[in-house]
Structures are given as C-alpha cells and as structure tokens.
C-alpha cells in the first residue's frame, strides 16, 4: 500500500525490545527490553519515552497494567511473574511481590511475550533462556497449523514472532530476522500484505494511538550472525494501513 509510512519513535535502541501494550487510559505504549530488564513508556501526547530499570531482576519479558490498580503492572521476569510498581516517569521500578515462580525445575527457561484475554486472564509463553546451556524438546500439544511460512527443509532463519489482530480478525505477525510484518487472513490462511521494515529483527506488534489505527512494532539489535545497526532496536510507528485494532486487556487480580 502506497500510503503506509514507517517512523522511528523517540527512545533508546534496545538489545531485545518486546511486548508492546497500548494503554487507552494514559494514551501510552508500554514495552520492555528483555535483556536489559528495563520498562518503557511512550507518551503519545508528549512524544517522549520514559525508561525504568526493574530492580532485582535479570529479565523483563512483558509489562501489562493491572486493572483497577493505577501504577501497578504484571511483569514476566525469568521464571517469575512479578507485581511491579512504576509511575511511568521514575528511572526505577520496584517489585511489590512475586505472584508465582515456575520453580527450580524450569531454571533454564524464562518467560517471553504475554497477553491478557477478555476475561482478564494472562497467557504467557516460555522459552530457553539466553544464558542456558541446555537444549529442550517442544511438545506441539496437538495444535492446528494455520499457515506455513516456509518449507520444513528451507534454510532461511526467519521465524514468526509476536502478533496481534485488527478489528476484522486479520493477523499481523512480526517476522524475526525477516525485516517485515505479514498480514494473514485466517479464513483463507493466506498472506494478504507484507509491510517491509528497515530492521531485520521484528519481535512483536500492537495497535494503538488515539484511534487504534497505528501499528507499533518492537525490534531487537542483538547480534545473531552480523552486527545490527540503528534503527535496529527501535520501536517503529506504522501508519496508513487502513485498519484498526481493538483495546488491549488489563490483568484482573483478586
């Protein structure tokens, strides 16, 4: 689409940006740097990004507001789910308490991205941690394949990463090591649009902005085979897609 525009948001370039979450109430985009264990808030009205170090943590995998508790968030951190306090301005965020821990048997793993459903329930994935020296097997759980992005024998290294959907139900999938976002129609199981980006490692996406018609994409600058140069690690603002998202959900805690 000729009207699609890609811009770089103000803010730091991150080793592994992840988990964008648009907060309607504050008109802010929250996201994290997993490897830096930092929390970030892009203020739409100010066009400014605030950054906080999460004290007492090695990783910060996602940040989601807790419903009815202003300034409190659930954050994935290594094997732990944390309740965190942050005013969105200060350079540090504090752990209020540990909500749960995967335990010693999962010490080689860490939480990755997470999302909350319409009932306020958190769904979060785990993966082998970067500092682990073990390998693990994946159980497919009897899942159904919607679409294959490459043949099983293909040598390409790109993978489907974080995703979101628009109000019509189409999927927008970040393609890590693929320099793009792909739009998939789930009914036809076909790619209907590719959005080229100026970075290789696209990690996740979320709709936001005052009209929920801006697609934000987090990216990474960590080295895989070759060094990554800016704007790798930036958050990208994509407009002109002619699509709108739905408000994102907050975590419900007792």
């Amino acid at each position: 689409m000729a009207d699609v525009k890609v811009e770089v948001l103000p803010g730091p370039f991150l080793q592994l940006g992840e988990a964008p979450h648009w907060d309607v109430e504050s008109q802010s985009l929250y996201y994290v740097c997993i490897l830096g264990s930092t929390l970030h808030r892009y203020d739409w009205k100010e066009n400014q990004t605030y950054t906080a170090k999460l004290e007492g943590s090695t990783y910060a995998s996602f940040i989601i507001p807790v419903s009815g508790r202003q300034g409190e968030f659930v954050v994935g951190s290594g094997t732990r789910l944390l309740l965190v306090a942050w005013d969105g301005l200060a350079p540090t965020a504090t752990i209020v308490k540990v909500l749960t821990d995967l335990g010693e048997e999962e010490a080689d793993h860490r939480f990755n991205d997470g999302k909350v459903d319409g009932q306020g329930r958190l769904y979060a994935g785990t993966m082998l941690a970067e500092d682990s020296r073990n390998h693990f097997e994946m159980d497919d759980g009897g899942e159904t394949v919607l679409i294959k992005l490459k043949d099983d024998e293909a040598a390409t290294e790109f993978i489907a990463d974080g995703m979101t959907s628009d109000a019509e139900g189409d999927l927008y999938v970040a393609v890590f090591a693929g320099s793009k976002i792909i739009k998939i129609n789930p009914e036809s199981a076909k790619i209907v649009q590719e959005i080229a980006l100026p970075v290789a490692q696209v990690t996740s996406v979320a709709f936001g902005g005052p009209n929920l018609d801006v697609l934000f994409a987090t990216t990474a600058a960590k080295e895989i085979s070759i060094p990554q140069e800016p704007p790798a690690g930036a958050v990208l603002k994509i407009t002109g897609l002619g699509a709108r998202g739905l408000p994102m959900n907050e975590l419900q805690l007792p």
Side-chain angles (χ1 to χ4, degrees):
M1 295 177 65
D3 294 334
V4 173
K5 183 178 181 181
V6 180
E7 301 173 82
V8 175
L9 289 190
F13 296 107
L14 307 177
Q15 283 294 99
L16 185 51
E18 184 62 276
H21 179 100
W22 178 258
D23 180 54
V24 172
E25 183 177 355
S26 66
Q27 291 289 285
S28 297
L29 182 76
Y30 289 94
Y31 58 100
V32 300
C33 178
I34 295 180
L35 300 181
S37 192
T38 51
L39 312 180
H40 305 267
R41 182 181 71 88
Y42 169 70
D43 189 296
W44 177 272
K45 294 180 181 178
E46 296 180 7
N47 192 34
Q48 180 176 346
T49 296
Y50 297 89
T51 297
K53 175 69 177 178
L54 179 57
E55 294 184 329
S57 68
T58 302
Y59 300 107
S61 297
F62 57 83
I63 175 171
I64 299 173
V66 177
S67 179
R69 300 190 186 186
Q70 187 173 3
E72 290 192 344
F73 305 86
V74 61
V75 175
S77 178
T79 60
R80 303 178 298 170
L81 282 179
L82 307 175
L83 181 63
V84 170
W86 184 39
D87 64 2
L89 299 171
T92 57
T94 58
I95 298 173
V96 177
K97 67 177 178 179
V98 178
L99 296 173
T100 190
D101 195 318
L102 298 178
E104 285 298 320
E105 63 274 15
E106 300 292 335
D108 286 326
H109 295 75
R110 66 163 175 82
F111 279 106
N112 198 42
D113 205 351
K115 293 288 187 295
V116 172
D117 70 6
Q119 298 183 51
R121 301 173 299 188
L122 174 67
Y123 291 80
T126 62
M127 62 175 284
L128 197 66
E130 280 78 359
D131 58 359
S132 174
R133 289 173 172 79
N134 293 327
H135 296 280
F136 65 96
E137 295 180 356
M138 182 176 68
D139 181 1
D140 65 13
E143 62 193 15
T144 300
V145 176
L146 172 64
I147 184 173
K148 278 194 172 185
L149 300 183
K150 62 179 181 178
D151 295 332
D152 292 337
E153 303 301 322
T156 52
E157 297 181 352
F158 69 81
I159 58 173
D161 208 332
M163 68 185 73
T164 191
S165 60
D166 63 20
E168 303 300 320
D170 291 319
L171 298 176
Y172 295 75
V173 183
V175 183
F176 191 87
S179 301
K180 62 186 176 182
I181 297 166
I182 56 175
K183 178 181 178 180
I184 299 173
N185 182 296
E187 293 184 0
S188 65
K190 300 290 186 182
I191 297 174
V192 295
Q193 184 181 3
E194 294 193 3
I195 306 162
L197 298 178
V199 298
Q201 299 169 168
V202 192
T203 58
S204 195
V205 287
F207 277 100
N211 299 314
L212 297 177
D213 59 354
V214 177
L215 187 64
F216 296 101
T218 50
T219 72
K222 67 176 186 175
E223 294 185 19
I224 296 181
S225 56
I226 59 174
Q228 303 297 310
E229 300 294 335
V235 176
L236 304 178
K237 171 187 173 184
I238 305 162
T239 54
L241 292 171
R244 297 181 63 180
L246 297 171
M248 299 184 76
N249 301 305
E250 298 181 340
L251 180 73
Q252 298 282 347
L253 279 182

